[in-house]
Amino acid sequence: MINKDILKKAFRHLCTAKAMTELYEENFKVVSKYVHATSRGHEVIQTAVGMQLLPQDYVFPYYRDDSILLSIGMEPKDLMLQLFAKKDDPFSGGRTYYSHPSLRDDDKPKVPHQSSATGMQAIPATGVAMGMWYKETEGIQDTEKPVVVCSLGDACVTEGEVAEAFQMAVLKKLPILYIVQDNGWDISANEKETRAQNAAEYARGFNGLEAISIDGTNFEESYSTVKNAIETIREERRPMLIHAKVPLLNHHTSGVRMEFYRDDLEEAKTRDPFPKMKKYLAENGFSEDELEAIEALARVKVKEDYLEAEKAEDPSPEDLFTHDFAPTTVTEEKGERSPEGGEKVVMVDCALHAIEEIMHNDKTSLLYGQDVGGRLGGVFREAATLAQKFGDNRVFNTPIQEAFIIGSTVGMSAVGLKPIVEVQFADYIWPGLNQLFTEVSRSCYLSNGKWPVSMVLRVPIGAYGSGGPYHSSSVESVVTNIRGLKIAYPSNGADLKGLLKAAYHDPNPVVIFEHKGLYWSKVPGTKGATSIEPAADYVLPFGKAWVLQEIWKQEEKETIAIVTYGMGVHWAMNASEELGMQDQIEVIDLRTLAPLDEETVMKSVKKCGKCLVVTEEPSNNTFARALSGKIQEECFKYLDAPVMTIGSENMPAIPLNSTLEETMIPSTAKVKNKIEELLAY
């Protein structure tokens, strides 16, 4: 028998959630300015979950979970401030939808940012659990054993990213409880059309994921099942799944009305959890007057909070421009870049040693991705010996799961870790872009600064040695279009080491593109990528371009500013040397693409009067073309010729054949010809 105080508290939450739904419907024309969904029909299972979580736990509610939020201690007004997108919305400052929480209160379970987009929350949530696993195995967990709860709708369990999360949960035996609320509907598509089995049946295919089906409208069954599951996970540290069957008694969202398509509304009403809960309480010592008083108080409270929230202040225009990034401490170049007596090393070793130094000094840092573990140490040997030095819990292989590799960093960062992860080739980043765009890059902004994602994503990139169409792509233009990321693309080992150190100290997500052809300087003309290895204390801030070949303004000679990055730096420097025009060509190595050092670029272009932007990407519709346009716009009156761009040919892929590859991508000779064309303009 459940304690009477627990039953009373649970019923109060149910009454509050129901009163909120009814009030929203009564005021539909007012509250439907912004889209919202409510928990009507789902209240019992949600309340049974929320009431049993502790402050050290983490919970990932989805967009229908306002009853979970009420039961962890949020007030109706808190949720309504988000409903109206008000300035004091405690979750996002008016930036995101109702019941899309981000919470970091000491006295409540932690709620990192998540998009709630069809199943995507499963990866960040499982990332939190993996962070707990790591901290416990390494002896750095400093609280009672926490658990993670990930709430999902039944329709999203068919999503591939959910499968990636389940796979890692059972592989690592992670302390996570997946709560699947099954109301039988996607939006207008129902379970018969879209699912071959329910969530519990599906989950049992993941060996080690215990799955239980329950009636999610029965409070006693829901509460006791959740209680047993949480206690088991807290003690045994393994994943579980509860599949709770519930009716949907309100609209899918305020914008998709149930009357449009539902043919089961009358049947759904027969499973309403609210009268079932009242009946259960009446059978267990509660009088009708007592229950009616609780209902009446809930309605009054909800109405009062609604009126206050409606009158609350809206965000100001200035609020748009806050919390895109958390402040970083690395704002100046520091440390020894070229220690006395140092020897030149290849670029890949600068990266390897940077990671080793980071991991040696900070146990919260770890490295994972495909093939980075002890057997291989990365397909480019960029992680060689790290697993042997730091152990298989700190440096480990993952399945082929780019979405999980990238999205799990949201959860790892949320528990105070610093994940360094790898996508094996830039060509393989596409399955992870969903997580990179929707979860990683927006977390700081949409949580109003509460949950920046501190992670480093290493991406080997570029064409080299007949890699063919699946190992040679340049993808920086896609990634630079994702706001909320910092992006580096160094041309040499010293810069790579300094930028890796800056990325490690940065509380924001960082993507580092590392050109495969520069790793060992095996490509002719790339010896400049080797460097005297910087000291361990060397850091290079983002947003600081490097003027490699500075020239004076000259009236009697034509001068050119070449703006480039990565392999383009070497093409530009070699072309300049072959032309014997080092006194006429200023080469700007951007080093980072976001933030971009526009001041240095524009200063150089205004001085030189002509500009060439060099990229390895096919040049149309790219970062380089956008930069060319911006230079043209800001420097027009200083220019003696149009800003020109050279990149790869605009073909769908880089062919395997070496002759075709050479024809496809730029080279020193091609850049030299473009310089001559620009000089002659």
Side-chain angles (χ1 to χ4, degrees):
M1 176 62 191
I2 299 172
N3 179 285
K4 188 172 182 179
D5 288 339
I6 292 174
L7 293 176
K8 184 175 182 179
K9 186 176 181 181
F11 186 63
R12 187 173 72 246
H13 291 317
L14 261 66
C15 291
T16 302
K18 180 172 179 287
M20 289 166 66
T21 300
E22 291 169 349
L23 187 65
Y24 295 168
E25 287 300 297
E26 291 168 12
N27 295 273
F28 176 72
K29 289 186 178 180
V30 177
V31 302
S32 63
K33 178 179 180 180
Y34 304 113
V35 173
H36 67 272
T38 71
S39 60
R40 190 71 184 92
H42 294 230
E43 304 100 315
V44 158
I45 182 61
Q46 291 183 22
T47 301
V49 170
M51 286 179 65
Q52 300 190 66
L53 296 175
L54 303 176
Q56 72 261 28
D57 296 332
Y58 285 71
V59 59
F60 286 73
Y62 87 115
Y63 59 83
R64 198 175 300 288
D65 282 348
D66 53 10
S67 287
I68 285 184
L69 297 174
L70 292 170
S71 60
I72 66 170
M74 303 304 292
E75 295 294 330
K77 183 181 175 181
D78 297 324
L79 277 64
M80 292 168 177
L81 287 168
Q82 190 174 54
L83 175 77
F84 289 115
K86 296 295 187 177
K87 182 184 181 74
D88 292 331
D89 154 28
F91 305 126
S92 72
R95 292 175 174 178
T96 195
Y97 294 105
Y98 178 79
S99 200
H100 284 58
S102 301
L103 194 65
R104 207 165 188 169
D105 292 354
D106 290 340
D107 63 339
K108 298 180 184 69
K110 307 303 172 280
V111 187
H113 165 264
Q114 59 167 22
S115 68
S116 282
T118 57
M120 288 173 61
Q121 68 270 35
I123 286 179
T126 307
V128 168
M130 191 164 76
M132 293 172 180
W133 161 83
Y134 171 75
K135 292 172 79 172
E136 289 167 18
T137 57
E138 293 297 309
I140 54 176
Q141 183 73 36
D142 56 2
T143 64
E144 298 176 46
K145 289 182 176 179
V147 300
V148 184
V149 169
C150 176
S151 178
L152 300 160
D154 57 305
C156 79
V157 176
T158 58
E159 166 62 48
E161 293 185 8
V162 174
E164 292 192 19
F166 287 178
Q167 174 68 27
M168 285 301 289
V170 297
L171 185 66
K172 297 288 186 183
K173 295 183 173 61
L174 303 181
I176 184 166
L177 173 61
Y178 300 100
I179 299 287
V180 180
Q181 300 172 55
D182 183 356
N183 61 37
W185 289 92
D186 294 24
I187 299 180
S188 65
N190 64 30
E191 59 189 342
K192 292 179 182 178
E193 298 173 78
T194 59
R195 296 189 277 294
Q197 64 280 305
N198 67 38
E201 293 164 342
Y202 177 68
R204 291 181 191 121
F206 293 86
N207 189 24
L209 181 55
E210 183 180 346
I212 306 162
S213 285
I214 64 170
D215 177 359
T217 68
N218 181 311
F219 185 78
E220 184 175 28
E221 183 180 2
S222 297
Y223 191 88
S224 61
T225 304
V226 171
K227 182 175 186 292
N228 291 337
I230 288 177
E231 288 176 352
T232 299
I233 295 169
R234 212 178 287 283
E235 181 60 31
E236 299 180 13
R237 316 312 276 161
R238 62 181 174 90
M240 296 180 69
L241 181 144
I242 295 174
H243 164 244
K245 194 68 179 172
V246 294
L248 178 60
L249 300 179
N250 198 36
H251 314 291
H252 169 73
T253 64
S254 55
V256 182
R257 312 294 286 174
M258 56 187 172
E259 299 88 357
F260 294 171
Y261 60 91
R262 292 280 296 277
D263 55 9
D264 67 336
L265 291 174
E266 292 307 312
E267 185 279 330
K269 290 175 184 176
T270 67
R271 295 184 286 127
D272 187 342
F274 192 78
K276 291 175 69 172
M277 184 67 166
K278 284 185 73 173
K279 183 174 183 292
Y280 176 66
L281 294 180
E283 292 170 351
N284 287 277
F286 287 83
S287 68
E288 186 174 339
D289 288 346
E290 191 175 3
L291 296 176
E292 287 182 359
I294 294 171
E295 286 189 73
L297 286 172
R299 285 192 292 269
V300 170
K301 169 68 173 171
V302 165
K303 182 66 173 179
E304 290 175 347
D305 282 14
Y306 174 88
L307 294 174
E308 288 185 25
E310 188 180 16
K311 295 174 185 174
E313 182 184 0
D314 283 317
S316 65
E318 293 76 20
D319 292 326
L320 175 68
F321 303 102
T322 59
H323 301 302
D324 50 344
F325 291 102
T328 179
T329 58
V330 180
T331 56
E332 296 179 5
E333 186 174 6
K334 292 182 179 179
E336 290 188 85
R337 180 181 175 90
S338 301
E340 188 175 345
E343 295 183 1
K344 281 196 171 184
V345 299
V346 293
M347 189 169 172
V348 74
D349 283 348
C350 283
L352 175 63
H353 298 159
I355 302 299
E356 183 177 342
E357 290 162 3
I358 288 168
M359 296 186 72
H360 179 75
N361 291 322
D362 184 5
K363 212 169 182 180
T364 66
S365 62
L366 68 165
L367 172 69
Y368 56 96
Q370 294 166 34
D371 298 304
V372 301
R375 289 191 189 89
L376 187 60
V379 295
F380 302 104
R381 305 294 287 157
E382 76 284 358
T385 74
L386 293 180
Q388 289 84 354
K389 290 176 180 176
F390 299 107
D392 293 335
N393 289 330
R394 293 191 68 190
V395 181
F396 59 89
N397 293 326
T398 66
I400 301 173
Q401 295 185 341
E402 286 81 11
F404 186 88
I405 291 168
I406 292 172
S408 62
T409 64
V410 176
M412 298 289 266
S413 176
V415 297
L417 299 176
K418 182 70 184 192
I420 302 168
V421 297
E422 290 195 12
V423 168
Q424 200 169 73
F425 291 89
D427 310 69
Y428 301 168
I429 200 171
W430 308 111
L433 285 181
N434 201 14
Q435 290 287 326
L436 189 64
F437 175 77
T438 309
E439 307 296 342
V440 174
S441 70
R442 296 176 167 191
S443 183
C444 185
Y445 188 69
L446 292 182
S447 69
N448 216 23
K450 292 189 292 297
W451 294 103
V453 177
S454 185
M455 61 86 87
V456 180
L457 171 59
R458 298 179 65 187
V459 184
I461 194 171
Y464 160 62
S466 294
Y470 309 114
H471 301 82
S472 307
S473 296
S474 294
V475 300
E476 61 265 29
S477 290
V478 174
V479 179
T480 53
N481 266 288
I482 302 176
R483 278 69 177 176
L485 301 176
K486 295 188 177 182
I487 303 165
Y489 199 148
S491 66
N492 63 81
D495 283 356
L496 176 53
K497 186 170 185 180
L499 290 166
L500 273 168
K501 291 295 182 74
Y504 159 72
H505 289 292
D506 202 305
N508 301 287
V510 176
V511 178
I512 300 190
F513 291 118
E514 304 173 17
H515 199 292
K516 306 187 301 290
L518 301 179
Y519 266 155
W520 300 284
S521 291
K522 289 183 178 179
V523 176
T526 60
K527 289 297 181 186
T530 63
S531 311
I532 294 175
E533 184 175 348
D537 65 347
Y538 179 65
V539 290
L540 179 63
F542 278 58
K544 303 290 184 184
W546 186 16
V547 183
L548 276 171
Q549 193 168 265
E550 191 167 4
I551 64 173
W552 299 103
K553 184 175 178 65
Q554 301 174 59
E555 299 296 338
E556 70 281 2
K557 291 182 180 179
E558 293 291 328
T559 54
I560 297 176
I562 299 182
V563 183
T564 186
Y565 53 92
M567 185 64 83
V569 172
H570 302 278
W571 293 325
M573 293 295 286
N574 294 336
S576 170
E577 184 179 352
E578 289 185 15
L579 288 167
M581 300 180 67
Q582 294 95 323
D583 63 336
Q584 292 175 253
I585 297 175
E586 186 160 284
V587 179
I588 308 300
D589 182 353
L590 293 175
R591 302 202 282 201
T592 67
L593 309 185
L596 183 66
D597 186 355
E598 293 185 17
E599 182 181 351
T600 297
V601 170
M602 303 307 171
K603 181 180 177 182
S604 177
V605 174
K606 289 174 181 178
K607 175 175 65 176
C608 295
K610 292 184 176 180
C611 177
L612 175 63
V613 179
V614 179
T615 180
E616 186 172 322
E617 285 192 294
S619 57
N620 286 355
N621 307 312
T622 58
F623 168 82
R625 285 288 184 191
L627 178 57
S628 297
K630 188 149 196 173
I631 293 169
Q632 189 103 334
E633 185 178 323
E634 293 200 17
C635 302
F636 182 76
K637 66 181 180 180
Y638 299 91
L639 292 172
D640 299 323
V643 177
M644 294 189 179
T645 305
I646 182 171
S648 291
E649 300 298 332
N650 292 291
M651 302 306 291
I654 297 177
L656 181 64
N657 178 272
S658 57
T659 300
L660 296 178
E661 179 190 63
E662 185 179 329
T663 306
M664 174 81 174
I665 65 176
S667 64
T668 296
K670 291 178 183 179
V671 171
K672 188 165 65 172
N673 291 339
K674 199 72 175 178
I675 291 171
E676 291 175 329
E677 178 188 343
L678 185 54
L679 283 171
Y681 187 89

